Each structure stands twice: as C-alpha cells, then as structure tokens.
Amino acid sequence: MTTTSAPVDGCPDVTTPTATQGQTRAVIIDYVDFIRLDGREYLAGFTPTPPVSRADLGEVVAESRCSLSAFNERTRTDPGPPRDGDTGFLPPGTDIHAVHGWDPTCRIAAERDGRLYVYLAQEKGADHARPAACAVG
C-alpha cells in the first residue's frame, strides 16, 4: 500500500510505501548540478568554462521548477526522471538565463547562493557526460 501527499513546490507528488512490519524504505540520491530544459540536460562543473558576470547574462529563458536534491532530502523518495524545469540544486522559481554570445540550446546560466553558474548542454544519447559541440566550440 502507498500513500500520496501534495507536491512540494513544483515537484512531483510524493508517493511513499507505508511501513511494513515496522520497516520503511528511504532513498538518498547524490545529484550533480544539472538543469533539464526542452528535453535536454545541461551540466555545470564538469567542463572548465570561463566565469560569467551579470553583464554576460541574457534574457530569462526559463524558471526552475523543482530542486530534486531538496525534494529528495525532504521526502527521502525518488522523484523519478527529471522533467523540464527540474534541477539538481536551484530553488524553485530561480531565473535561468541565456548567455550573451551563446545559443541557449548550448549554454545557459543561473545564480545559486550568490554565485553564477554556467550550464553546458550535453550530447544527446551519450553514454557519459559529454558537452554538445555547440556548448564548447
């Protein structure tokens, strides 16, 4: 039997198994710094990139929906695969910007804890983290 509670922020519904014979199961996930937008994964911190300043930020292209690390920390459940707008660490409602000189399908940026992070689009279908050619070229 499972129980369901209301979504946390823009996160998925929480479905947790009820205790069975005095035992419950918790899931702890170690996330990387990612953003998922328009079906594409973007990662920060895996490939060296020059830092960006506020002057480098372009228009807001999206807003974060759910920080899966915060969701997992609060609920100890697996939220399933990331949906568009889900992130590893950005709080819900965080502006996600284009970066001047880059197509937003290649590079985007966001602020977390007072610091700007650059996120590189990842090669679709790769078997490991690998930036898309347009994100590094």
Side-chain angles (χ1 to χ4, degrees), residues 42-132:
Y42 295 79
L43 295 178
F46 281 85
T47 303
T49 57
V52 294
S53 68
R54 293 197 186 288
D56 297 316
L57 299 180
E59 68 181 343
V60 173
V61 296
E63 201 175 86
S64 63
R65 179 178 181 174
C66 176
S67 166
L68 295 185
S69 63
F71 172 87
N72 178 249
E73 199 171 289
R74 285 190 303 263
T75 66
R76 299 289 191 236
T77 61
D78 181 353
R83 305 160 303 156
D84 283 340
D86 287 346
T87 71
F89 303 108
L90 298 176
T94 300
D95 288 338
I96 300 167
H97 296 264
V99 177
H100 290 301
W102 295 92
D103 187 310
T105 62
C106 301
R107 271 191 193 197
I108 53 179
E111 182 178 357
R112 178 171 46 89
D113 298 328
R115 181 173 171 217
L116 292 173
Y117 291 85
V118 175
Y119 294 82
L120 304 181
Q122 298 299 294
E123 195 67 46
K124 289 185 178 185
D127 59 353
H128 63 278
R130 182 174 46 215

Side-chain angles (χ1 to χ4, degrees), residues 1-46:
M1 176 172 223
T2 60
T3 59
T4 303
S5 62
V8 179
D9 304 321
C11 297
D13 289 338
V14 179
T15 303
T16 55
T18 57
T20 304
Q21 298 176 1
Q23 297 177 348
T24 58
R25 185 175 146 185
V27 176
I28 299 172
I29 302 169
D30 189 12
Y31 285 98
V32 297
D33 195 0
F34 79 91
I35 296 173
R36 181 177 173 95
L37 288 179
D38 296 324
R40 178 162 237 168
E41 301 292 332
Y42 295 79
L43 295 178
F46 281 85

